[in-house]
Amino acid sequence: MKKFNFLGFRFLFRVERENRDDVQVYSDTYQLKDRMVYFLVFLMIISLSSQLGNIFQRNKYIDKDIIKENIYAPRDVKYKDVLKREAIIKDIVEESEKKYIYLPEIGKKYSRGLNEFYDEILQIKEKKIKNFDYDFFEENYKLKIAPEIVDGVLDLSKREINSQRKDLMEILDKVYSHGIREGETFITTMAGKDFKDKELSNIEFKVLDIFTFPNYVYDRERTKFEIKKRVDGIEDQYTTVKAGELVLKKGELLDKEKIQVLNALGIYSFAETVLRFSVTGIYLITVSVIAYNIVTTKFKKELSNKNIYGATFLVFALLFFIFRFFGKDYLYLIPFETGFFLLQILVNSAYAFYFGIIALIYITPMINYDMVYFVITLLTILFATRFLGSVKTRVQFINLGIQLAIVKLIIYFSITFLTFGVSETVLLDSTKIILAGIFSGVLTLAIVPYLERSFNILSSFKLLELGDLSNPLLRDLSVKTPGTFYHSMMVAAVSEAAAEAIGADPIFTRVASYYHDIGKMKRPKFYVENQEGGENPHDKISPFLSALVILAHTKDGFEMAKKYKVPREIRDIMLEHHGTTFLAYFYNKAKSLDENVREDDFRYSGPKPKTKESAIIMLADSIEAAVRSIEHKTYNNIEEMIRKIIFNKLEDGQLKDADLTFKDIETIIKVFTKTIIGIHHVRIKYPGQEKESEENKTDEN
């Protein structure tokens, strides 16, 4: 235990290893959790390794550094050139004309002021007033007129004053008509205008300067609005660097523009590289925690199966190694959908969807957080999930791959066109997307058989192959035991309908029904459906031996199927479809010969059905044989027989491990009855028809 004091508080830390007993360690739950930890840690290591290499790069650059060696672009890069856009904006700001508000009253006011100035001068000259009224001009015009200017004008004769007044009024009117902008003076205004026809004295310049005020006031808000409108119209600027192009020469001084190019190529300063690595680690840890909680809860059953877990691990390993070493250069040529398709075929659509999203999230750091690719692939996964469940044949998978490529192309072209515009890179990537779509379907079909065989996984394609009646095992069944073959077909029809009705797997149920009795091929004549009205071998042997023969057909079928490499899931049905059912007929015969006979010797070895599909096949197997023995096959007779058989199975505890609800059982009864009536072409009699039928029979007699 660690202890330390800080600010008057004592902190205690204890790290202990969790104690697990053997039951916990070897339980399915803990094994599942351990598997997911290994799986996610593997993904984190591969993803983080894409960032790790940058830390150990020999050259790390910062602003004002000298380039140590020639740097060439390792791949084609198109990046957002922020500095180019900023330069365009700067030019716009510098070239933009400032906006002003015209104030005509300014010119009128100060022209009037100049006129009143000369009126005041002339009145002094004519002795009408003694002194110049400086306060008047300061109060009314906010002007401070220097005494020397007044004295300078008073030194002139009356005629010269009137002449000067006329000339300066004309000049001032002309100045105001041309406009005086805020920040300008009379001198700067005169410099920019054509007033060279008049030679002005120093005093005249000073007088005009006093009465010259801007009549165009700078409109800051309007100017900013006009500049902003032009700047908003500037699109993001992009620069393309071709693979192998010399980006920076040895000995060059590094500036912001060159750093921007290096960042686009993934060459960062050491501090930024470490920061990016750390943020990526935090990102991966966060998504790992989320992914762990989702998949261990939602896919506990699938991941508890070590074969499915192994196949998933292998698919991810192959996909991630491809992205790790080829992702940046051949990003749009990599058939990401292949991994998605494989998981759907080997497991199911929901599993493929969630793990497809997980794969995309972990791949993102390896492609330098390319958000265009992320969005395109995410939308493609959503689109594929919608249609993947309806794909049943190999050709449909190839077609779906091409359809997804078209969808990706449309999304990619839309995003890139609106963002970058059309370029050679966009057209090249579009071609890669189409090729990847074609490859994804073909590659999936090429890899699936190896994964099925290596991990012994019963995929939907494998089921369709096993369900082909030309399969050697089924062909032998139809030739050697035609009665059992017909019985299996009937069980398949009844079971498939019931499985679909309660949400079980109808295809698996049908195919498993085909194979459930193949063990009868070893001694076909010992089963009544294959005797064809001939001699019954059981009449010549003891009931003990008869029981051994009958009980053996489940294990015989299991071994035969193993030899033909039938998947374990179907072989389990062969053992479970009779559960631990009791052979009452042979037991009673044996008991009449020996009172000490053991009941357990006349029970199937089991195990009892563990799945809904296995339980349905057990019930259908018993019911199909029993219904054939009903002489008058009416709806009521058939339903009554079905209920009786199912009740006996329930009472005997044969269905306790199958996870069937009472609602499921009632649904199964209804579907069994309807399907069997359809198979045997039984006409349903409505109320009153049965009585009428009996009367007709009486009349005939």
Side-chain angles (χ1 to χ4, degrees):
M1 179 182 294
K2 294 287 186 181
K3 301 180 182 179
F4 68 90
N5 296 324
F6 181 71
L7 297 177
F9 293 93
R10 176 176 293 177
F11 292 87
L12 305 176
F13 290 94
R14 183 192 300 248
V15 178
E16 294 181 349
R17 184 179 180 85
E18 183 182 359
N19 292 322
R20 303 178 185 175
D21 56 29
D22 289 343
V23 174
Q24 288 179 316
V25 171
Y26 293 103
S27 67
D28 291 340
T29 302
Y30 272 94
Q31 289 185 12
L32 167 63
K33 291 180 178 179
D34 286 345
R35 286 174 182 172
M36 279 313 303
V37 169
Y38 299 147
F39 179 74
L40 295 175
V41 167
F42 169 76
L43 299 186
M44 286 180 60
I45 291 173
I46 297 297
S47 190
L48 265 179
S49 67
S50 64
Q51 305 290 318
L52 190 62
N54 294 330
I55 295 178
F56 298 103
Q57 281 182 350
R58 186 160 57 90
N59 295 322
K60 294 294 176 187
Y61 297 106
I62 58 175
D63 195 15
K64 306 305 181 185
D65 268 0
I66 302 296
I67 304 300
K68 301 183 179 80
E69 59 182 22
N70 290 340
I71 297 178
Y72 297 89
R75 62 185 183 281
D76 287 350
V77 174
K78 187 173 185 178
Y79 64 94
K80 187 184 291 186
D81 198 329
V82 178
L83 296 178
K84 184 187 287 187
R85 187 173 186 273
E86 288 178 353
I88 295 173
I89 292 173
K90 183 179 179 182
D91 291 340
I92 287 175
V93 172
E94 291 176 352
E95 295 171 3
S96 293
E97 183 181 352
K98 292 182 178 181
K99 302 298 177 182
Y100 292 87
I101 300 173
Y102 175 54
L103 302 174
E105 64 273 12
I106 296 294
K108 294 176 182 178
K109 177 180 178 180
Y110 287 100
S111 292
R112 186 174 64 251
L114 180 64
N115 199 35
E116 290 179 346
F117 171 80
Y118 278 100
D119 283 345
E120 189 92 359
I121 293 294
L122 288 171
Q123 287 185 44
I124 295 172
K125 201 75 174 172
E126 294 172 356
K127 309 295 184 180
K128 292 181 180 180
I129 58 174
K130 292 183 178 181
N131 299 313
F132 189 85
D133 192 351
Y134 294 98
D135 294 336
F136 171 80
F137 287 94
E138 188 168 356
E139 290 174 3
N140 290 278
Y141 297 101
K142 309 299 181 193
L143 297 176
K144 288 185 177 181
I145 301 175
E148 58 266 23
I149 295 176
V150 173
D151 294 341
V153 176
L154 286 173
D155 288 341
L156 300 175
S157 66
K158 186 176 179 181
R159 185 181 62 82
E160 289 174 331
I161 292 172
N162 282 320
S163 175
Q164 187 184 79
R165 175 181 191 172
K166 180 182 177 183
D167 291 341
L168 294 188
M169 286 295 294
E170 288 178 358
I171 292 172
L172 192 62
D173 287 342
K174 190 178 289 187
V175 167
Y176 277 120
S177 66
H178 278 80
I180 304 172
R181 298 179 186 275
E182 188 176 358
E184 293 180 344
T185 63
F186 175 73
I187 295 173
T188 57
T189 304
M190 290 287 289
K193 305 292 187 289
D194 186 15
F195 297 124
K196 295 181 179 178
D197 56 331
K198 287 285 182 183
E199 291 289 339
L200 298 176
S201 65
N202 184 45
I203 196 69
E204 288 175 329
F205 261 114
K206 289 181 178 180
V207 170
L208 284 173
D209 188 51
I210 291 172
F211 290 94
T212 302
F213 275 83
N215 61 347
Y216 280 87
V217 179
Y218 177 52
D219 189 343
R220 185 178 303 276
E221 292 303 319
R222 186 181 168 199
T223 303
K224 286 172 65 177
F225 175 77
E226 292 294 331
I227 293 174
K228 184 177 183 302
K229 189 165 66 172
R230 291 185 64 186
V231 169
D232 289 344
I234 302 172
E235 297 180 348
D236 289 334
Q237 302 298 305
Y238 291 88
T239 299
T240 301
V241 179
K242 295 292 184 181
E245 183 178 330
L246 178 62
V247 178
L248 297 174
K249 292 182 181 179
K250 182 179 180 179
E252 284 186 330
L253 184 67
L254 198 60
D255 56 22
K256 289 183 178 180
E257 185 177 354
K258 294 183 176 69
I259 288 176
Q260 183 179 235
V261 178
L262 292 177
N263 288 340
L265 295 172
I267 304 173
Y268 308 102
S269 67
F270 182 77
E272 186 174 351
T273 302
V274 172
L275 179 61
R276 290 174 67 88
F277 181 81
S278 302
V279 173
T280 300
I282 294 170
Y283 162 81
L284 291 173
I285 291 171
T286 303
V287 297
S288 295
V289 171
I290 297 171
Y292 175 85
N293 284 284
I294 290 175
V295 297
T296 53
T297 302
K298 194 170 184 65
F299 301 107
K300 183 180 295 185
K301 179 182 176 182
E302 289 84 352
L303 292 170
S304 294
N305 185 325
K306 64 180 182 180
N307 291 333
I308 291 178
Y309 172 78
T312 304
F313 204 117
L314 181 59
V315 168
F316 267 72
L318 293 173
L319 189 64
F320 271 59
F321 276 117
I322 292 172
F323 270 95
R324 173 64 183 86
F325 296 106
F326 303 101
K328 293 179 181 178
D329 297 324
Y330 304 98
L331 185 57
Y332 290 100
L333 196 58
I334 298 173
F336 175 88
E337 290 77 16
T338 297
F340 183 68
F341 289 165
L342 288 171
L343 294 179
Q344 193 277 336
I345 294 172
L346 296 174
V347 192
N348 55 54
S349 296
Y351 188 88
F353 171 76
Y354 278 94
F355 275 85
I357 299 296
I358 290 171
L360 179 60
I361 290 172
Y362 278 90
I363 283 170
T364 302
M366 291 192 283
I367 58 174
N368 205 24
Y369 297 95
D370 188 331
M371 287 297 103
V372 174
Y373 182 85
F374 182 89
V375 171
I376 292 170
T377 309
L378 178 62
L379 293 176
T380 304
I381 290 173
L382 295 174
F383 180 84
T385 304
R386 170 66 179 80
F387 297 99
L388 207 54
S390 60
V391 176
K392 303 297 181 185
T393 65
R394 297 178 186 273
V395 174
Q396 286 177 326
F397 256 105
I398 296 176
N399 291 337
L400 181 60
I402 297 172
Q403 291 168 5
L404 289 181
I406 295 172
V407 171
K408 284 180 70 174
L409 181 62
I410 293 171
I411 299 171
Y412 171 77
F413 200 80
S414 300
I415 294 175
T416 52
F417 177 76
L418 295 173
T419 307
F420 309 125
V422 179
S423 66
E424 182 182 337
T425 303
V426 171
L427 296 176
L428 184 61
D429 286 343
S430 300
T431 305
K432 292 177 182 178
I433 288 171
I434 293 294
L435 292 174
I438 298 172
F439 291 155
S440 63
V442 175
L443 201 59
T444 299
L445 300 179
I447 295 174
V448 161
Y450 296 100
L451 292 176
E452 289 174 337
R453 197 175 303 120
S454 300
F455 295 97
N456 195 27
I457 295 176
L458 186 59
S459 70
S460 55
F461 282 169
K462 186 68 174 178
L463 276 174
L464 292 174
E465 291 174 0
L466 290 168
D468 186 353
L469 298 181
S470 64
N471 184 285
L473 206 51
L474 295 181
R475 192 169 59 244
D476 286 349
L477 183 67
S478 66
V479 173
K480 295 178 181 178
T481 56
T484 299
F485 180 78
Y486 175 79
H487 161 72
S488 298
M489 295 301 108
M490 296 303 100
V491 170
V494 175
S495 299
E496 182 178 19
E500 189 166 11
I502 68 168
D505 188 340
I507 298 176
F508 171 78
T509 305
R510 172 169 57 82
V511 175
S513 297
Y514 291 164
Y515 289 87
H516 80 283
D517 267 346
I518 61 171
K520 291 181 178 180
M521 283 195 292
K522 193 167 185 178
R523 302 176 186 86
K525 295 301 180 182
F526 280 85
Y527 303 93
V528 64
E529 68 265 22
N530 299 314
Q531 291 171 3
E532 300 174 357
E535 185 178 347
N536 187 347
H538 292 290
D539 295 338
K540 297 181 179 181
I541 61 176
S542 72
F544 298 98
L545 186 56
S546 293
L548 285 174
V549 172
I550 299 299
L551 295 173
H553 86 274
T554 56
K555 291 183 178 180
D556 290 339
F558 184 90
E559 295 301 325
M560 194 179 299
K562 191 174 181 180
K563 179 181 177 182
Y564 279 83
K565 297 183 179 179
V566 175
R568 179 60 188 252
E569 290 86 347
I570 294 179
R571 284 187 277 138
D572 287 342
I573 298 293
M574 298 173 189
L575 296 176
E576 295 175 6
H577 79 277
H578 281 296
T580 58
T581 304
F582 181 52
L583 294 179
Y585 175 76
F586 291 113
Y587 173 76
N588 291 329
K589 282 184 68 175
K591 195 167 185 179
S592 65
L593 300 176
D594 183 0
E595 286 291 334
N596 297 321
V597 67
R598 294 172 64 249
E599 186 177 313
D600 289 346
D601 293 336
F602 290 83
R603 281 191 178 275
Y604 283 95
S605 59
K608 296 174 182 178
K610 293 184 176 63
T611 63
K612 291 182 178 182
E613 293 82 3
S614 184
I616 290 171
I617 293 171
M618 166 188 269
L619 298 176
D621 181 55
S622 302
I623 288 165
E624 196 283 326
V627 167
R628 278 190 274 118
S629 66
I630 299 176
E631 185 176 352
H632 299 295
K633 294 181 176 64
T634 65
Y635 186 94
N636 290 336
N637 288 343
I638 292 173
E639 184 178 0
E640 185 180 349
M641 174 68 79
I642 291 171
R643 287 187 181 278
K644 181 180 178 181
I645 291 172
I646 293 179
F647 176 77
N648 289 336
K649 296 293 184 186
L650 285 168
E651 194 175 46
D652 195 27
Q654 297 301 319
L655 304 179
K656 67 178 184 179
D657 299 329
D659 195 28
L660 285 175
T661 65
F662 286 112
K663 183 180 179 180
D664 290 337
I665 291 172
E666 190 61 32
T667 302
I668 289 169
I669 292 171
K670 298 295 184 186
V671 174
F672 276 0
T673 306
K674 183 179 178 181
T675 307
I676 290 171
I677 284 174
I679 291 172
H680 291 283
H681 307 291
V682 177
R683 182 171 179 267
I684 301 175
K685 296 186 186 299
Y686 295 97
Q689 287 184 319
E690 292 185 6
K691 182 178 180 181
E692 183 182 335
S693 177
E694 292 296 328
E695 289 174 355
N696 290 337
K697 287 183 181 180
T698 304
D699 292 341
E700 289 174 3
N701 292 334

